[in-house]
């Protein structure tokens, strides 16, 4: 078989096929060889980055660091819980004294519990700390409620007359009840208690309260009236000077006036009254003579 080759000028040349085939095979081999060499060159030039691997020592170091941080966190939480426990113990001891109770009686009742001992792992210790934190929270709530109740009782107590309204040197010159009137000699009811003392000595509020009157009040002279809890009112009469104004809130033991002899009186003294919802009551039932 021949290969016909048409050249310029219309001349046709016949070439035997057995001569063309070797040439074509040579060209094909050259093309393949060139492609292979080009691929080798590109493979040598292109470098694919490879991430470094973490060796076993590095992993152990990281694990130890995480474990150390976990232990430090647990230790910090334990210290915090111990401080809370100490503060609660002090508060419970104080409440026990105030309420005349055994502090153990203030412990919250948890009921029976049990179970197998868990493994001593970080997770198990963390769960124990969380349980202790919850228990301390319950105790804190219980103690706070009792503490508020005690403070409330103390506030109520301070609002009931109980403080002696005069200095210790003063003495009772006339008691509550029927007596002979010092001006007329007639038998009359004395609605308060008289304390004799030195001119200008301090007159003190017998309890926490609010001043409802501070002015001259007829035969009582310069007088102060204070309202307290449970509808009680105290009156301090015959003063030389008043130290408070109406509407002022006062505390037990606070100076409110100075002793004098204004109004219907024979000499320097304090006329002290306690009024309840039913009228005058014996001041000696509230304050020490």
């Amino acid at each position: 078989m021949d290969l016909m080759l048409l050249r310029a000028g219309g001349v046709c040349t016949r070439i035997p096929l057995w001569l063309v085939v070797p040439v074509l095979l040579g060209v094909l081999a050259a093309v393949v060889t060139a492609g292979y060499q080009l691929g080798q060159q590109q493979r040598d030039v292109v470098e694919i980055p490879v991430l470094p691997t973490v060796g076993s020592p590095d992993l152990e170091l990281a694990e130890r660091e995480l474990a150390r941080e976990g232990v430090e966190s647990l230790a910090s939480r334990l210290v915090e819980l111990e401080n809370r426990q100490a503060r609660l113990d002090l508060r419970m001891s104080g409440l026990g004294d105030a309420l005349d109770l055994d502090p153990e009686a203030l412990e919250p009742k948890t009921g029976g519990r049990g179970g197998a001992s868990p493994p001593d792992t970080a997770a198990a210790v963390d769960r124990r700390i969380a349980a202790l934190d919850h228990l301390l929270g319950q105790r804190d709530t219980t103690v706070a409620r009792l503490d508020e109740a005690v403070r409330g009782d103390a506030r109520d107590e301070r609002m009931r007359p109980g403080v002696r309204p005069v200095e210790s040197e003063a003495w009772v010159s006339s008691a509550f009840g029927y007596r002979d009137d010092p001006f007329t000699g007639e038998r009359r009811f004395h609605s308060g208690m008289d304390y004799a003392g030195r001119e200008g000595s301090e007159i003190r509020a017998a309890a926490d309260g609010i001043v409802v009157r501070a002015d001259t009040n007829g035969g009582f002279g310069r007088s102060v009236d204070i309202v307290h809890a449970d509808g009680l009112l105290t009156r301090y009469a015959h003063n030389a000077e008043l130290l408070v104004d109406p509407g002022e809130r006062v505390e037990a033991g606070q100076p409110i006036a100075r002793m004098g002899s204004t109004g219907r009186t024979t000499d320097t003294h304090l006329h002290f009254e306690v009024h309840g919802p039913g009228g005058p009551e014996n001041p000696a039932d509230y304050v020490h003579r």
Side-chain angles (χ1 to χ4, degrees), residues 140-286:
D140 195 30
T141 300
T142 300
V143 172
R145 290 175 178 172
L146 291 172
D147 197 21
E148 178 61 27
V150 170
R151 287 199 301 268
D153 291 343
R155 285 195 299 269
D156 291 343
E157 188 66 25
R158 286 181 58 87
M159 292 191 69
R160 293 180 59 83
V163 175
R164 195 170 189 261
V166 293
E167 61 184 12
S168 58
E169 290 79 7
W171 69 94
V172 176
S173 57
S174 183
F176 175 84
Y178 284 94
R179 68 172 185 178
D180 294 334
D181 187 283
F183 291 96
T184 66
E186 298 177 358
R187 191 74 172 166
R188 298 185 60 181
F189 181 74
H190 185 223
S191 59
M193 178 185 294
D194 290 344
Y195 291 93
R198 61 185 180 87
E199 179 83 17
S201 60
E202 286 185 347
I203 304 301
R204 308 180 184 103
D208 290 1
I210 298 176
V211 178
V212 293
R213 182 168 187 168
D215 59 7
T216 299
N217 183 14
F220 290 118
R222 295 190 181 97
S223 177
V224 176
D225 289 358
I226 302 175
V227 293
H228 311 280
D230 300 328
L232 294 174
L233 177 144
T234 53
R235 174 170 293 159
Y236 313 78
H238 306 307
N239 302 289
E241 181 184 0
L242 305 182
L243 306 179
V244 293
D245 298 311
E248 185 174 342
R249 184 179 296 274
V250 296
E251 297 181 354
Q254 176 180 333
I256 58 173
R258 296 192 183 280
M259 186 179 290
S261 59
T262 60
R264 188 173 182 266
T265 177
T266 60
D267 202 351
T268 301
H269 75 283
L270 168 70
H271 174 79
F272 176 59
E273 295 183 359
V274 176
H275 289 259
E281 299 183 15
N282 190 351
D285 295 337
Y286 292 90

Side-chain angles (χ1 to χ4, degrees), residues 6-7 29 35 45 80 83 104-105 115 121 132 143 196 214 234 268 289:
L6 183 64
R7 294 185 300 172
V45 172
E80 179 185 350
N83 291 336
E104 293 183 358
T121 63
L132 179 58
V143 172
T234 53
T268 301
R289 289 173 171 263

